[in-house]
Amino acid sequence: MQGTGGPGAEPRGRRPLGREGVLPLRYRYRPPVSLGEFEEMLGRLLDEIPDVLLEGLNGGVIIEPRGRPSREAPGMLVLGEYHHTPHLGRFIVLYYGSFVHTAGSSRRRWEEEMRATLRHELRHHVEDRAGLRDLEREDREAIRRYLEGSDRG
């Protein structure tokens, strides 16, 4: 079967793997937002947040370049997480790699997803400081519904 490039072209639907099973650069997906642009976008989004909501977030917001699969819901990716540990303090992680796989090709959609994720994780932070766990319960319920199939497209 010939591809569109004439004799000697690679067959359609097949992408040869390079070293160690990695696609050659010409076949890799280029997200609409680079890691550097993601960092800049996050800075702008943090500027929208009132300082009082960021109080006590002593570890700040960290960008992890890789995606993170969900432990609770196989097949789902985690966009962000709030952490509160005795040794590292309170911080938020946003997973750039998860956004690459879920946010689509629109820069506007990326920004909307980032804003929603950041606000969600900040709510975890605010509730944690107040000794509440309402959002944790809501998250568990949403995952339960997803796993049962009632929240799948």
Side-chain angles (χ1 to χ4, degrees):
M1 177 167 120
Q2 291 292 326
T4 58
E10 296 162 16
R12 284 189 187 130
R14 299 178 99 185
R15 297 180 186 167
L17 295 178
R19 294 186 327 252
E20 301 173 13
V22 176
L23 288 173
L25 187 58
R26 70 179 183 267
Y27 292 113
R28 292 186 195 154
Y29 169 70
R30 286 186 174 76
V33 176
S34 70
L35 185 57
E37 292 168 321
F38 190 84
E39 187 175 351
E40 291 171 11
M41 207 178 278
L42 175 59
R44 289 191 302 273
L45 293 173
L46 283 168
D47 288 343
E48 296 175 1
I49 306 295
D51 289 342
V52 68
L53 297 179
L54 299 171
E55 286 178 9
L57 196 64
N58 56 348
V61 180
I62 299 166
I63 296 172
E64 169 57 51
R66 295 173 294 181
R68 179 161 128 34
S70 170
R71 292 190 263 312
E72 297 85 16
M76 287 183 75
L77 291 169
V78 175
L79 296 176
E81 285 182 305
Y82 171 72
H83 295 273
H84 179 189
T85 67
H87 301 292
L88 299 175
R90 294 177 164 106
F91 61 98
I92 292 171
V93 179
L94 294 185
Y95 295 95
Y96 171 77
S98 294
F99 282 87
V100 168
H101 291 285
T102 61
S105 61
S106 161
R107 291 177 65 85
R108 182 172 173 219
R109 175 140 184 254
W110 274 66
E111 188 168 340
E112 290 168 358
E113 289 290 334
M114 287 177 69
R115 181 178 286 111
T117 302
L118 180 60
R119 289 178 179 181
H120 179 94
E121 301 310 327
L122 278 170
R123 181 175 164 200
H124 279 296
H125 169 62
V126 170
E127 286 190 4
D128 180 54
R129 293 193 72 200
L132 302 173
R133 298 288 178 258
D134 294 345
L135 187 53
E136 287 179 18
R137 284 189 287 276
E138 289 175 29
D139 287 347
R140 281 193 300 274
E141 178 61 21
I143 289 170
R144 184 192 64 75
R145 283 192 317 268
Y146 173 81
L147 291 173
E148 290 176 353
S150 59
D151 271 2
R152 295 184 190 179

